[in-house]
Amino acid sequence: MNLVELRGITKDYRLGRTTVTALRGVDLVIQKGEFTVVMGPSGSGKSTLLNIIGCLDQPTAGSYLLDGVPVGERDFDKLAEVRNRKIGFIFQLFNLIPVLDVIENIEFPCLMRKGEREPASSLRRRVEELAGDVGLTPFLKHKPDELSGGQRQRVAIARALITRPELVLADEPTANLDSATSEQIIELMLKLNQEKGVTFVFSTHDPRVMHHARRVVHIADGKIAPQADGEARSPGAVTRAV
Ligand SMILES: Nc1ncnc2c1ncn2[C@@H]1O[C@H](COP(=O)(O)OP(=O)(O)O)[C@@H](O)[C@H]1O
Ligand SMILES: [Mg+2]
C-alpha cells in the first residue's frame, strides 16, 4: 500500500529576480512500513523533499498523494490537520522546548491537537511507556539542557511518535551527533519501525549510516537517481543507484 506517492515534483524558490530550483521532477513511492534513507550532499534537496512530504511546504509542480488522497487539493487548515494526525517530525537541531521537562516535551503535540482530548492519565501512561521504549526512563524530569545530544534526540523521537503517526520524517537527525550516538539513534528508529510498523523517512549526507538502511534513495542536484525496477519497491532492498 502506497503511503506517499510523488510524481514529477518540482520546487522552485524565488529570491528576488533569481529562481533556485531545489527539486527537478522527483518521482518517489514509499510504502507503508518502509524505512527509507534519503542520501545526498548538502544542498541536494533533502530538506525540501521532506518538507513537501510532510506538508510543511507545497511543490511548484507535480502531484502528491498521501495515503491515496491528493495533497494539493486540500486547503491550508485541512493540511495542518493532516500533518497533525498523520505525520511526526524529527529535526537536526532537536527543536525541544527548553522550559519543559522530558515528559512535557513528549506530550506536547497531543496538547496542541484540536478535537477531543485524551484523558491526562492515559496520555501520561503512554508518554512514560514511550520514554521507556527510547531509553529515557531515568530522565523524565530533566530539562533539555540537562541531557546529552543523543538523549535529546531520543526525546524528539518519542515526541514524534506520541501522536501515533503513520509517517515519521527525520531530517538529518544525526547531523549534530557523534558517530557512535548516530548509530544508536538509527538502530532505535529501525527498532521502532520494526516493532511498531511506523513508516520512517530519514535524510542524511553521511554515507556511514547507509549500511543500516534497508532502502536508500540517492538525491543529487534535486533529482533522485534512477533505481532498478522492483528492487526499489521491495521492503528490505538496499538500492545503490549510481
Ligand atoms: N527557503 C529557501 N529559499 C531559497 N532557496 C532555498 C530555500 N531552501 C532551500 N533552498 C535551496 O534549495 C536547494 C536545496 O536545498 P535543501 O533542500 O535545503 O537541501 P539539503 O537539505 O539537501 O541541504 C539549495 O540550493 C538551497 O540553497
Ligand atoms: Mg537539509
Side-chain angles (χ1 to χ4, degrees):
M1 173 106 189
N2 295 343
L3 183 57
V4 169
E5 195 171 331
L6 302 176
R7 299 284 173 208
I9 294 287
T10 296
K11 178 68 184 183
D12 294 331
Y13 291 109
R14 261 171 238 293
L15 294 170
R17 287 188 189 174
T18 57
T19 301
V20 178
T21 301
L23 296 176
R24 306 164 190 272
V26 167
D27 296 323
L28 180 64
V29 174
I30 294 169
Q31 294 176 354
K32 283 190 184 169
E34 275 192 317
F35 188 102
T36 303
V37 173
V38 176
M39 168 100 44
S42 179
S44 57
K46 301 181 297 298
S47 295
T48 303
L49 179 63
L50 263 60
N51 288 345
I52 288 173
I53 294 174
C55 306
L56 293 169
D57 201 353
Q58 290 199 292
T60 309
S63 73
Y64 176 15
L65 299 182
L66 176 60
D67 220 358
V69 182
V71 167
E73 289 166 20
R74 304 181 212 234
D75 61 33
F76 198 76
D77 280 354
K78 185 89 180 123
L79 214 54
E81 196 196 312
V82 170
R83 201 160 63 214
N84 263 319
R85 203 155 33 82
K86 292 205 180 230
I87 303 175
F89 295 92
I90 300 166
F91 302 94
Q92 180 177 337
L93 294 172
F94 322 126
N95 294 12
L96 302 178
I97 299 174
V99 296
L100 302 183
D101 67 22
V102 167
I103 287 182
E104 293 161 338
N105 265 288
I106 296 173
E107 71 187 3
F108 190 73
C110 292
L111 304 181
M112 290 296 100
R113 277 185 147 179
K114 284 188 199 154
E116 208 174 307
R117 280 272 175 87
E118 179 178 357
S121 59
S122 145
L123 177 58
R124 184 56 61 100
R125 209 172 326 113
R126 287 200 309 116
V127 167
E128 289 179 4
E129 196 185 320
L130 206 45
D133 290 342
V134 300
L136 286 172
T137 301
F139 308 103
L140 297 179
K141 290 285 165 202
H142 288 232
K143 301 262 170 67
D145 67 359
E146 297 160 348
L147 298 170
S148 69
Q151 289 165 342
R152 286 183 210 183
Q153 201 56 300
R154 287 167 191 270
V155 179
I157 291 168
R159 179 186 58 183
L161 290 169
I162 194 66
T163 55
R164 300 192 185 98
E166 284 195 55
L167 175 63
V168 172
L169 300 172
D171 193 10
E172 300 210 45
T174 60
N176 282 55
L177 303 175
D178 63 65
S179 47
T181 310
S182 296
E183 301 246 332
Q184 290 167 7
I185 291 295
I186 295 159
E187 288 299 333
L188 172 61
M189 289 192 203
L190 274 166
K191 181 176 146 246
L192 294 165
N193 165 255
Q194 277 154 20
E195 288 176 1
K196 297 185 190 281
V198 182
T199 310
F200 276 85
V201 183
F202 178 116
S203 80
T204 182
H205 66 256
D206 183 356
R208 284 175 307 179
V209 312
M210 204 149 88
H211 65 276
H212 292 275
R214 292 197 276 152
R215 179 184 179 197
V216 180
V217 167
H218 293 266
I219 185 168
D221 202 19
K223 279 200 200 121
I224 287 185
Q227 302 184 326
D229 248 10
E231 214 186 345
R233 296 285 161 78
S234 63
V238 176
T239 311
R240 285 169 212 277
V242 186

